[in-house]
Amino acid sequence: MKNTGIVYKSEDKKPQAVPEFAELLPNLSDEQYDALKADILQNGCYSPVIVDENMRIIDGHNRQRICEENDIPYTMSVFAFDDDLEAKQWMLDTQKGRRNLDKWELGKIALKLKPEIEARAKANMSAGGQISQQGSTRLSNLDLARVDTRQELADSVGLGRSTMNKVMQIDENAPDTIKQALDKKELSVNRGYELIKQLENVPEAEREQAAAEMLEYEKAKKMLANRNAEIDRRSKIANLFSKAFEKSILLEATEENVRIWTDCCRMRDNEIFDCAKEAEEISVAFAQIARIIREKILPEGYRKPDFWSEYENEALLDQMG
């Protein structure tokens, strides 16, 4: 692959969107597409669309579509590739850094590349065999080093061989229900693989129903786990607030007590200054708590200004003795 340095403007040439490139990667979500469109409408298309020497779009299908639909000019940079497989590999490597593709999505992309990877592997093995017959000692190992297609597929998308194997097993053996759950990110590859192993002894006619029941059970487990996690989260917050009030209520903020604290802790001037800043930040947090309680949580009767004025006056009198 190389950048030829050739650049075209959209008013000069029109690129071609080819399904095998356009459909290699998953579609952008509606949110991602809308964000890209908003950026282009506001700032123009500042990233060039990448095309090959036949003017086929390799990278930038969404940008090109948005520009064409909204009469926005764009540029195209021409890259040269040895073959379509190299172009697809480059396209994937470029997009992986921009998108959050999970293991199932990466595995499905690898399966789309499988025919070309297998064809290249056979060609390499054939070339190795011919070289070996010609008596080349240095390259004769090519005939012995059989190409591991599964590893090639895994490497093409950055997966481990074991994960790629699971993706292939799911693709070949899983009922559509499980594949759809993976597409919706409701299952991980590992869990999907475990489910199809559990289905191995289920009669073919019953697998779809059994898979659907398994997925309902998985959803119930996930809901329970999420509910427990939410309970834990709420408990931690409640405990934190309780402890903060329990500790702070014990403080008697007189000058004598503050001096005792700073002296006994042997604080340096900069440490005392930092403590003063932290105390101010804490006071802001407690003031915010008071405001939320007054305005949002207490019943309506407690929110009347007269009530709080009377309460604050009584508190001030108590402090004055």
Side-chain angles (χ1 to χ4, degrees):
M1 182 276 299
K2 69 174 181 178
N3 185 344
T4 66
I6 300 172
V7 176
Y8 295 116
K9 294 181 179 179
S10 54
E11 56 264 33
D12 298 330
K13 287 210 173 192
K14 294 298 179 186
Q16 179 185 7
V18 180
E20 64 177 303
F21 291 109
E23 298 170 7
L24 180 64
L25 301 178
N27 292 328
L28 294 178
S29 67
D30 291 342
E31 183 180 354
Q32 291 171 326
Y33 186 84
D34 289 343
L36 177 62
K37 181 177 179 179
D39 180 50
I40 291 175
L41 291 177
Q42 180 176 350
N43 303 306
C45 189
Y46 45 83
S47 296
V49 173
I50 306 301
V51 297
D52 66 7
E53 293 175 300
N54 296 316
M55 291 302 295
R56 297 180 302 175
I57 299 175
I58 306 299
D59 179 60
H61 292 87
N62 291 299
R63 297 196 300 278
Q64 190 265 348
R65 173 186 165 189
I66 292 168
C67 289
E68 290 290 346
E69 290 177 350
N70 294 277
D71 295 323
I72 295 173
Y74 58 94
T75 60
M76 293 162 282
S77 293
V78 181
F79 279 47
F81 300 94
D82 291 339
D83 53 31
D84 284 357
L85 180 57
E86 185 185 42
K88 291 174 184 177
Q89 186 68 66
W90 180 87
M91 174 185 175
L92 174 60
D93 292 342
T94 301
Q95 287 290 335
K96 275 171 64 177
R98 303 175 187 169
R99 302 197 194 184
N100 185 25
L101 301 175
D102 63 22
K103 293 178 179 179
W104 173 245
E105 289 172 323
L106 290 171
K108 291 208 301 181
I109 293 169
L111 292 176
K112 292 179 181 179
L113 300 177
K114 185 179 177 183
E116 290 166 296
I117 287 177
E118 288 179 335
R120 185 175 65 184
K122 289 178 181 179
N124 288 341
M125 289 174 63
S126 175
Q130 292 175 7
I131 293 172
S132 179
Q133 291 173 9
Q134 293 171 4
S136 172
T137 304
R138 184 172 65 88
L139 295 176
S140 62
N141 287 336
L142 285 173
D143 195 36
L144 300 175
R146 300 289 178 179
V147 177
D148 186 340
T149 303
R150 189 158 298 178
Q151 186 64 57
E152 288 273 318
L153 289 173
D155 291 343
S156 71
V157 293
L159 291 177
R161 190 179 191 282
S162 174
T163 301
M164 191 68 233
N165 177 61
K166 291 175 182 178
V167 169
M168 295 176 74
Q169 291 293 323
I170 293 170
D171 182 67
E172 293 172 7
N173 303 311
D176 289 340
T177 307
I178 290 179
K179 293 179 183 178
Q180 291 167 7
L182 282 158
D183 289 340
K184 296 175 183 177
K185 303 183 187 294
E186 295 174 351
L187 285 178
S188 66
V189 168
N190 287 339
R191 190 58 187 147
Y193 179 74
E194 290 171 1
L195 293 183
I196 66 167
K197 297 301 287 184
Q198 294 175 29
L199 289 169
E200 283 182 342
N201 296 323
V202 177
E204 185 69 30
E206 301 174 13
R207 284 191 178 183
E208 197 67 49
Q209 179 61 32
E213 292 173 359
M214 285 180 171
L215 289 176
E216 285 301 316
Y217 178 64
E218 289 295 316
K219 289 178 182 177
K221 285 199 305 181
K222 194 170 184 178
M223 288 177 61
L224 180 60
N226 289 340
R227 187 168 62 186
N228 290 338
E230 177 62 11
I231 291 172
D232 289 343
R233 186 187 72 86
R234 292 170 64 88
S235 296
K236 288 177 181 177
I237 292 173
N239 288 334
L240 182 62
F241 272 69
S242 296
K243 288 178 181 178
F245 271 86
E246 287 170 6
K247 300 295 184 183
S248 63
I249 205 69
L250 298 175
L251 296 175
E252 186 178 353
T254 64
E255 180 181 347
E256 179 186 5
N257 288 345
V258 173
R259 285 186 179 279
I260 290 172
W261 170 46
T262 58
D263 290 343
C264 288
C265 292
R266 298 180 179 179
M267 291 186 190
R268 295 187 293 270
D269 289 346
N270 65 310
E271 292 173 329
I272 295 174
F273 179 75
D274 289 341
C275 286
K277 290 198 301 182
E278 289 175 7
E280 289 173 352
E281 291 170 0
I282 292 169
S283 70
V284 171
F286 274 92
Q288 177 76 348
I289 293 171
R291 187 189 65 79
I292 292 171
I293 290 174
R294 289 185 187 185
E295 299 178 5
K296 305 291 184 181
I297 296 176
L298 281 173
E300 189 65 32
Y302 286 87
R303 300 182 193 177
K304 296 178 180 178
D306 292 344
F307 176 87
W308 284 103
S309 297
E310 182 181 347
Y311 171 81
E312 287 166 350
N313 289 334
E314 290 178 358
L316 181 60
L317 289 172
D318 289 340
Q319 290 177 8
M320 295 173 64

